[in-house]
PDB file of all heavy atoms in Angstrom:
ATOM      1  N   HIS A 167      30.513  26.174 -40.749  1.00 97.00           N
ATOM      2  CA  HIS A 167      30.765  27.371 -39.966  1.00 97.00           C
ATOM      3  C   HIS A 167      31.689  28.237 -40.766  1.00 97.00           C
ATOM      4  O   HIS A 167      32.229  27.775 -41.813  1.00 97.00           O
ATOM      5  CB  HIS A 167      31.334  27.083 -38.600  1.00 97.00           C
ATOM      6  CG  HIS A 167      32.736  26.401 -38.697  1.00 97.00           C
ATOM      7  ND1 HIS A 167      32.918  25.059 -38.970  1.00 97.00           N
ATOM      8  CD2 HIS A 167      34.014  26.917 -38.594  1.00 97.00           C
ATOM      9  CE1 HIS A 167      34.160  24.806 -39.035  1.00 97.00           C
ATOM     10  NE2 HIS A 167      34.883  25.873 -38.808  1.00 97.00           N
ATOM     11  N   GLN A 168      31.914  29.479 -40.326  1.00 98.00           N
ATOM     12  CA  GLN A 168      32.808  30.363 -41.072  1.00 98.00           C
ATOM     13  C   GLN A 168      33.609  31.165 -40.062  1.00 98.00           C
ATOM     14  O   GLN A 168      33.092  31.867 -39.210  1.00 98.00           O
ATOM     15  CB  GLN A 168      31.986  31.264 -41.993  1.00 98.00           C
ATOM     16  CG  GLN A 168      32.799  32.283 -42.794  1.00 98.00           C
ATOM     17  CD  GLN A 168      31.988  33.257 -43.580  1.00 98.00           C
ATOM     18  OE1 GLN A 168      30.740  33.183 -43.524  1.00 98.00           O
ATOM     19  NE2 GLN A 168      32.624  34.085 -44.384  1.00 98.00           N
ATOM     20  N   LEU A 169      34.955  31.092 -40.240  1.00 98.00           N
ATOM     21  CA  LEU A 169      35.797  32.045 -39.394  1.00 98.00           C
ATOM     22  C   LEU A 169      35.876  33.360 -40.066  1.00 98.00           C
ATOM     23  O   LEU A 169      35.981  33.481 -41.271  1.00 98.00           O
ATOM     24  CB  LEU A 169      37.234  31.408 -39.274  1.00 98.00           C
ATOM     25  CG  LEU A 169      37.434  30.348 -38.256  1.00 98.00           C
ATOM     26  CD1 LEU A 169      38.777  29.653 -38.370  1.00 98.00           C
ATOM     27  CD2 LEU A 169      37.277  30.914 -36.799  1.00 98.00           C
ATOM     28  N   LEU A 170      35.852  34.421 -39.305  1.00 98.00           N
ATOM     29  CA  LEU A 170      35.801  35.764 -39.791  1.00 98.00           C
ATOM     30  C   LEU A 170      37.053  36.560 -39.199  1.00 98.00           C
ATOM     31  O   LEU A 170      37.268  36.477 -37.986  1.00 98.00           O
ATOM     32  CB  LEU A 170      34.513  36.512 -39.390  1.00 98.00           C
ATOM     33  CG  LEU A 170      33.208  35.822 -39.849  1.00 98.00           C
ATOM     34  CD1 LEU A 170      32.015  36.515 -39.239  1.00 98.00           C
ATOM     35  CD2 LEU A 170      33.106  35.767 -41.295  1.00 98.00           C
ATOM     36  N   GLY A 171      37.670  37.337 -40.049  1.00 97.00           N
ATOM     37  CA  GLY A 171      38.762  38.204 -39.565  1.00 97.00           C
ATOM     38  C   GLY A 171      38.143  39.509 -39.031  1.00 97.00           C
ATOM     39  O   GLY A 171      36.928  39.724 -38.990  1.00 97.00           O
ATOM     40  N   ALA A 172      39.007  40.386 -38.605  1.00 98.00           N
ATOM     41  CA  ALA A 172      38.586  41.674 -37.981  1.00 98.00           C
ATOM     42  C   ALA A 172      37.708  42.496 -38.876  1.00 98.00           C
ATOM     43  O   ALA A 172      36.704  43.037 -38.431  1.00 98.00           O
ATOM     44  CB  ALA A 172      39.809  42.431 -37.567  1.00 98.00           C
ATOM     45  N   GLU A 173      38.098  42.641 -40.146  1.00 98.00           N
ATOM     46  CA  GLU A 173      37.251  43.446 -41.025  1.00 98.00           C
ATOM     47  C   GLU A 173      35.929  42.811 -41.352  1.00 98.00           C
ATOM     48  O   GLU A 173      34.907  43.507 -41.434  1.00 98.00           O
ATOM     49  CB  GLU A 173      38.035  43.688 -42.348  1.00 98.00           C
ATOM     50  CG  GLU A 173      39.247  44.559 -42.174  1.00 98.00           C
ATOM     51  CD  GLU A 173      39.961  44.869 -43.534  1.00 98.00           C
ATOM     52  OE1 GLU A 173      39.491  44.343 -44.548  1.00 98.00           O
ATOM     53  OE2 GLU A 173      40.972  45.604 -43.572  1.00 98.00           O
ATOM     54  N   GLU A 174      35.938  41.486 -41.402  1.00 98.00           N
ATOM     55  CA  GLU A 174      34.604  40.787 -41.722  1.00 98.00           C
ATOM     56  C   GLU A 174      33.698  40.912 -40.516  1.00 98.00           C
ATOM     57  O   GLU A 174      32.506  41.087 -40.721  1.00 98.00           O
ATOM     58  CB  GLU A 174      34.945  39.348 -42.044  1.00 98.00           C
ATOM     59  CG  GLU A 174      35.676  39.122 -43.384  1.00 98.00           C
ATOM     60  CD  GLU A 174      36.190  37.700 -43.509  1.00 98.00           C
ATOM     61  OE1 GLU A 174      36.864  37.142 -42.635  1.00 98.00           O
ATOM     62  OE2 GLU A 174      35.813  37.090 -44.502  1.00 98.00           O
ATOM     63  N   ILE A 175      34.205  40.769 -39.285  1.00 98.00           N
ATOM     64  CA  ILE A 175      33.257  40.801 -38.196  1.00 98.00           C
ATOM     65  C   ILE A 175      32.849  42.293 -37.931  1.00 98.00           C
ATOM     66  O   ILE A 175      31.761  42.544 -37.480  1.00 98.00           O
ATOM     67  CB  ILE A 175      33.934  40.193 -36.919  1.00 98.00           C
ATOM     68  CG1 ILE A 175      32.831  39.896 -35.855  1.00 98.00           C
ATOM     69  CG2 ILE A 175      35.013  41.028 -36.355  1.00 98.00           C
ATOM     70  CD1 ILE A 175      31.797  38.894 -36.231  1.00 98.00           C
ATOM     71  N   GLU A 176      33.696  43.201 -38.328  1.00 98.00           N
ATOM     72  CA  GLU A 176      33.291  44.676 -38.275  1.00 98.00           C
ATOM     73  C   GLU A 176      32.121  44.929 -39.162  1.00 98.00           C
ATOM     74  O   GLU A 176      31.272  45.723 -38.894  1.00 98.00           O
ATOM     75  CB  GLU A 176      34.476  45.547 -38.636  1.00 98.00           C
ATOM     76  CG  GLU A 176      34.157  47.013 -38.517  1.00 98.00           C
ATOM     77  CD  GLU A 176      35.234  47.937 -38.996  1.00 98.00           C
ATOM     78  OE1 GLU A 176      36.390  47.437 -39.185  1.00 98.00           O
ATOM     79  OE2 GLU A 176      35.000  49.150 -39.220  1.00 98.00           O
ATOM     80  N   GLU A 177      32.112  44.267 -40.362  1.00 98.00           N
ATOM     81  CA  GLU A 177      31.046  44.456 -41.299  1.00 98.00           C
ATOM     82  C   GLU A 177      29.701  44.026 -40.699  1.00 98.00           C
ATOM     83  O   GLU A 177      28.672  44.531 -41.033  1.00 98.00           O
ATOM     84  CB  GLU A 177      31.266  43.744 -42.645  1.00 98.00           C
ATOM     85  CG  GLU A 177      32.383  44.332 -43.453  1.00 98.00           C
ATOM     86  CD  GLU A 177      32.647  43.554 -44.673  1.00 98.00           C
ATOM     87  OE1 GLU A 177      31.841  42.599 -44.934  1.00 98.00           O
ATOM     88  OE2 GLU A 177      33.574  43.857 -45.438  1.00 98.00           O
ATOM     89  N   VAL A 178      29.747  43.101 -39.825  1.00 98.00           N
ATOM     90  CA  VAL A 178      28.541  42.564 -39.053  1.00 98.00           C
ATOM     91  C   VAL A 178      28.170  43.440 -37.914  1.00 98.00           C
ATOM     92  O   VAL A 178      27.021  43.881 -37.856  1.00 98.00           O
ATOM     93  CB  VAL A 178      28.752  41.105 -38.633  1.00 98.00           C
ATOM     94  CG1 VAL A 178      27.567  40.672 -37.805  1.00 98.00           C
ATOM     95  CG2 VAL A 178      29.052  40.150 -39.799  1.00 98.00           C
ATOM     96  N   THR A 179      29.147  43.792 -37.081  1.00 98.00           N
ATOM     97  CA  THR A 179      28.859  44.440 -35.839  1.00 98.00           C
ATOM     98  C   THR A 179      28.932  45.901 -35.887  1.00 98.00           C
ATOM     99  O   THR A 179      28.407  46.610 -34.961  1.00 98.00           O
ATOM    100  CB  THR A 179      29.871  43.972 -34.764  1.00 98.00           C
ATOM    101  OG1 THR A 179      31.188  44.393 -35.146  1.00 98.00           O
ATOM    102  CG2 THR A 179      29.843  42.464 -34.576  1.00 98.00           C
ATOM    103  N   GLY A 180      29.589  46.490 -36.914  1.00 98.00           N
ATOM    104  CA  GLY A 180      29.711  47.918 -37.023  1.00 98.00           C
ATOM    105  C   GLY A 180      30.714  48.542 -36.042  1.00 98.00           C
ATOM    106  O   GLY A 180      30.804  49.763 -35.965  1.00 98.00           O
ATOM    107  N   THR A 181      31.491  47.697 -35.406  1.00 98.00           N
ATOM    108  CA  THR A 181      32.500  48.206 -34.495  1.00 98.00           C
ATOM    109  C   THR A 181      33.863  47.524 -34.779  1.00 98.00           C
ATOM    110  O   THR A 181      33.836  46.383 -35.189  1.00 98.00           O
ATOM    111  CB  THR A 181      32.169  47.978 -33.002  1.00 98.00           C
ATOM    112  OG1 THR A 181      33.230  48.404 -32.184  1.00 98.00           O
ATOM    113  CG2 THR A 181      31.828  46.499 -32.761  1.00 98.00           C
ATOM    114  N   ARG A 182      34.984  48.282 -34.527  1.00 97.00           N
ATOM    115  CA  ARG A 182      36.281  47.706 -34.769  1.00 97.00           C
ATOM    116  C   ARG A 182      36.920  46.995 -33.546  1.00 97.00           C
ATOM    117  O   ARG A 182      38.027  46.612 -33.549  1.00 97.00           O
ATOM    118  CB  ARG A 182      37.246  48.842 -35.176  1.00 97.00           C
ATOM    119  CG  ARG A 182      36.825  49.565 -36.460  1.00 97.00           C
ATOM    120  CD  ARG A 182      37.770  50.716 -36.781  1.00 97.00           C
ATOM    121  NE  ARG A 182      37.347  51.399 -38.027  1.00 97.00           N
ATOM    122  CZ  ARG A 182      37.997  52.476 -38.505  1.00 97.00           C
ATOM    123  NH1 ARG A 182      38.994  52.972 -37.843  1.00 97.00           N
ATOM    124  NH2 ARG A 182      37.514  53.047 -39.629  1.00 97.00           N
ATOM    125  N   SER A 183      36.062  46.832 -32.480  1.00 97.00           N
ATOM    126  CA  SER A 183      36.581  46.266 -31.270  1.00 97.00           C
ATOM    127  C   SER A 183      36.877  44.847 -31.270  1.00 97.00           C
ATOM    128  O   SER A 183      37.718  44.314 -30.491  1.00 97.00           O
ATOM    129  CB  SER A 183      35.559  46.591 -30.171  1.00 97.00           C
ATOM    130  OG  SER A 183      35.375  48.006 -30.000  1.00 97.00           O
TER     131      SER A 183
END
Side-chain angles (χ1 to χ4, degrees):
H167 63 282
Q168 180 184 3
L169 278 171
L170 306 172
E173 291 184 0
E174 292 170 304
I175 196 65
E176 180 185 348
E177 290 179 5
V178 175
T179 64
T181 175
R182 298 178 181 176
S183 300

